Amino acid sequence: MSTTSLLASLPVPDRADRLRDALLAADFTADGLLERLGAPAYAALARSETVPALRATRGDGPLDTLVRLFLLQRSVPREQARAALPLDEALTDGWVVEDGDEIRATVDVRPYGGPEGQDWFIVSDLGCAVGGASGASGRNEGVVLGVGGASTTLAGITVRTPVASALDLGTGSGIQALHASQHATRVTATDLNPRALDFTRLTLALSGAPEADLRTGSLFEPVGAETYDLIVSNPPFVISPGARLTYRDGGMGGDDLCRTLVQQAGDHLSDGGYAHFLANWQHVEGEEWQERLRSWVPRGCDAWIVQREVQDATQYAELWLRDAGDHRTDPEAYEARYEAWLDEFEALKTRAVGFGWITLRKSGADNPSIVIEEWPHPVEQPLGETVRAHFARQDYLGSRDDAALLADHFVLAPEVTQEQVGLPGAEDPEHVVLRQNRGMRRATKVDAVGAGFAGVCDGTLSAGRILDAIAQLMGEDPVLLRDRTPQAIRLLVEEGFLEPAATTAM
């Protein structure tokens, strides 16, 4: 991708509905692509490999033409383009340009399936969607990327309750604003890069979504003192020497950008509102990373922070040098940039970098719930309802002492299964594991009491009555069992294995 292409004017969205109709008529959708290309070629695109998709689109039908034009960035014959889209309007509005007797796209248009089956389209710079024709290399200052793994992760963990106002901070090509437009009355999208706001406008228009309030600026500066019911941000969180690439480098020292973003979010959240961030954070010598993150949480906010991955300094530097395509440049320049990255980490006393999710909820509590954990295992997206339920469980547990807990009734959460582990032929298992098959997909070891307790939780009996029955069966003192079990019940509730049921007099 050349710098010249980045400075070129972008399409005009005024008649995007006409282009959208043509794309849908050709089945240029997420489902249509999978069916046309086949699973192997579709998966290869995500690896920036285009040859299988080129082979699958050798025909001259409208869908073949659109795939080559907007996904693979190949020129197509004029008459094929005219058969696939309203060519005169697309030329006038700048979606495509003439290249001799052929037509080529000016932007990357990527079909994207919404959470309720919507046919959406993400517009970005040429070759800058995941699986774009030029892959990860050749990215320049000011480039606007399309949808990627980070984007879909953030969209998946966001709580999707109806809200009056939502803020997408650092909108990029507008993916989070597009999602928010489905459940927020008013959506504001900001970005330091004015090009990003132009792409967001295109994404919303081509997807048939309502317009957003678009504002230029850094962090919360564009919104002043305004507050929102929902804040989402996939910020430029990369910890790097300098700020060479706007789309990823925050331009502040270390993890200061993420810290500042999280700390300032509390002043811009409405009561009961949620804020969701993707972030990187330093693992500094002599400091617990959990305590570092705890200091980020603003006053009056509950927090759930999940570390999904940790990379040492060398792995982290190599990841982002490759992301920028630096490994394909002059070897001496690559080595110099690698050295600069390691010098930065050494100066910051950073031995590793963590990546994960940060969710805040504005509760106003004097003693907020702050849960910081490491969970590198597979999860099942979307997790928005899991996130909402996490905070609801924290509220419940915070309102119950042990006596109230034992008086309550519980049900085993859906999709929880029990595994017994032990030697073949043994009379009793060595241990029992409860496993979630949805959401966070947690697993936890329980003893015989815990397994028996969970197995009979159907909301009928109170926790105390169940423990009394277990004590009788096992020949234990019921008073002692009641004394030592509440903490185990709290853990099963906190992690979502048990759910509180409506209590009834027993």
Side-chain angles (χ1 to χ4, degrees):
M1 183 193 314
S2 67
T3 304
T4 302
S5 68
L6 288 178
L7 298 178
S9 59
L10 294 177
V12 177
D14 299 350
R15 293 183 288 188
D17 57 327
R18 293 289 305 278
L19 178 57
R20 173 179 171 79
D21 289 343
L23 300 180
L24 295 177
D27 207 17
F28 187 67
T29 63
D31 290 341
L33 282 185
L34 180 58
E35 183 176 348
R36 183 68 184 89
L37 300 181
Y42 192 79
L45 273 180
R47 303 191 299 271
S48 300
E49 297 292 347
T50 59
V51 172
L54 285 167
R55 290 172 61 86
T57 55
R58 288 172 170 169
D60 57 2
L63 181 54
D64 297 318
T65 300
L66 293 172
V67 170
R68 285 179 169 251
L69 189 64
F70 288 118
L71 258 65
L72 306 180
Q73 282 93 58
R74 300 301 175 100
S75 296
V76 300
R78 180 186 300 272
E79 291 311 309
Q80 281 186 218
R82 188 175 298 281
L85 72 163
L87 182 58
D88 293 338
E89 291 179 2
L91 284 167
T92 300
D93 294 345
W95 293 94
V96 296
V97 294
E98 295 175 308
D99 187 8
D101 292 332
E102 297 195 318
I103 302 297
R104 60 180 174 83
T106 61
V107 290
D108 187 304
V109 177
R110 180 100 0 181
Y112 179 70
E116 297 179 359
Q118 301 98 325
D119 290 316
W120 290 339
F121 301 95
I122 309 301
V123 188
S124 64
D125 271 310
L126 290 172
C128 289
V130 168
S134 65
S137 64
R139 293 178 180 173
N140 296 289
E141 177 68 21
V143 72
V144 177
L145 303 188
V147 65
S151 304
T152 55
T153 294
L154 180 59
I157 66 173
T158 300
V159 174
R160 296 296 175 191
T161 53
V163 294
S165 59
L167 171 64
D168 177 12
L169 194 153
T171 186
S173 54
I175 301 152
Q176 308 307 324
L178 180 57
H179 277 277
S181 71
Q182 304 303 294
H183 64 104
T185 304
R186 175 174 59 91
V187 176
T188 301
T190 71
D191 206 289
L192 182 63
N193 181 4
R195 271 179 71 80
L197 299 179
D198 291 335
F199 274 109
T200 294
R201 186 177 290 108
L202 294 172
T203 289
L204 294 173
L206 195 57
S207 298
E211 294 182 3
D213 178 7
L214 306 178
R215 307 184 192 182
T216 306
S218 178
L219 297 176
F220 288 102
E221 180 272 331
V223 302
E226 295 177 36
T227 59
Y228 297 86
D229 303 309
L230 174 67
I231 299 173
V232 292
S233 182
N234 177 17
F237 52 67
V238 176
I239 300 170
S240 60
R244 187 161 59 105
L245 299 174
T246 302
Y247 73 87
R248 70 168 204 194
D249 299 324
M252 296 185 182
D255 53 19
D256 280 356
L257 183 135
C258 291
R259 175 186 57 79
T260 301
L261 181 61
V262 174
Q263 288 180 336
Q264 292 182 357
D267 293 332
H268 295 277
L269 270 180
S270 304
D271 290 343
Y274 287 91
H276 303 274
F277 309 99
L278 300 185
N280 274 175
W281 44 79
Q282 296 164 242
H283 285 227
V284 178
E285 292 178 16
E287 176 186 69
E288 293 294 330
W289 67 269
Q290 295 93 334
E291 291 308 308
R292 183 181 191 84
L293 289 172
R294 187 178 297 275
S295 71
W296 291 11
V297 179
R299 185 185 302 273
C301 287
D302 302 319
W304 185 20
I305 302 175
V306 182
Q307 180 167 274
R308 295 287 289 157
E309 185 179 1
V310 180
Q311 292 183 316
D312 66 39
T314 58
Q315 291 173 315
Y316 190 80
E318 290 162 14
L319 169 68
W320 294 108
L321 287 167
R322 289 179 176 274
D323 170 82
D326 291 333
H327 62 302
R328 299 181 182 178
T329 62
D330 175 27
E332 291 186 2
Y334 173 80
E335 289 181 8
R337 284 176 174 160
Y338 200 152
E339 285 274 8
W341 222 301
L342 296 185
D343 286 344
E344 176 89 352
F345 283 145
E346 185 174 343
L348 295 171
K349 296 184 178 180
T350 299
R351 55 183 176 81
V353 176
F355 167 81
W357 320 325
I358 298 176
T359 295
L360 305 177
R361 184 187 61 164
K362 186 69 170 288
S363 65
D366 293 330
N367 296 303
S369 163
I370 300 177
V371 177
I372 303 174
E373 62 176 317
E374 185 165 18
W375 189 254
H377 310 294
V379 299
E380 183 182 60
Q381 288 274 33
L383 284 167
E385 177 56 26
T386 299
V387 173
R388 188 206 62 75
H390 164 87
F391 288 99
R393 291 195 299 269
Q394 293 298 316
D395 289 345
Y396 167 79
L397 291 171
S399 69
R400 294 294 195 276
D401 59 18
D402 287 354
L405 194 73
L406 293 177
D408 281 350
H409 299 230
F410 299 92
V411 294
L412 192 66
E415 305 297 331
V416 172
T417 57
Q418 176 178 300
E419 300 174 4
Q420 296 188 6
V421 181
L423 294 173
E427 183 175 349
D428 296 311
E430 293 180 11
H431 60 264
V432 175
V433 174
L434 298 181
R435 187 178 301 279
Q436 299 169 353
N437 292 302
R438 302 293 296 274
M440 294 295 286
R441 291 184 171 174
R442 297 185 188 275
T444 187
K445 257 199 250 188
V446 293
D447 59 15
V449 172
F453 182 88
V456 298
C457 277
D458 60 3
T460 304
L461 298 175
S462 69
R465 290 285 298 276
I466 293 174
L467 290 179
D468 291 343
I470 291 174
Q472 186 175 5
L473 287 172
M474 300 182 67
E476 292 200 30
D477 185 329
V479 175
L480 294 179
L481 192 60
R482 279 175 173 255
D483 285 344
R484 67 179 173 85
T485 306
Q487 188 56 39
I489 296 175
R490 287 184 183 278
L491 181 61
L492 291 175
V493 173
E494 181 176 355
E495 295 190 341
F497 291 95
L498 294 178
E499 298 176 351
T503 58
T504 59
M506 296 296 295

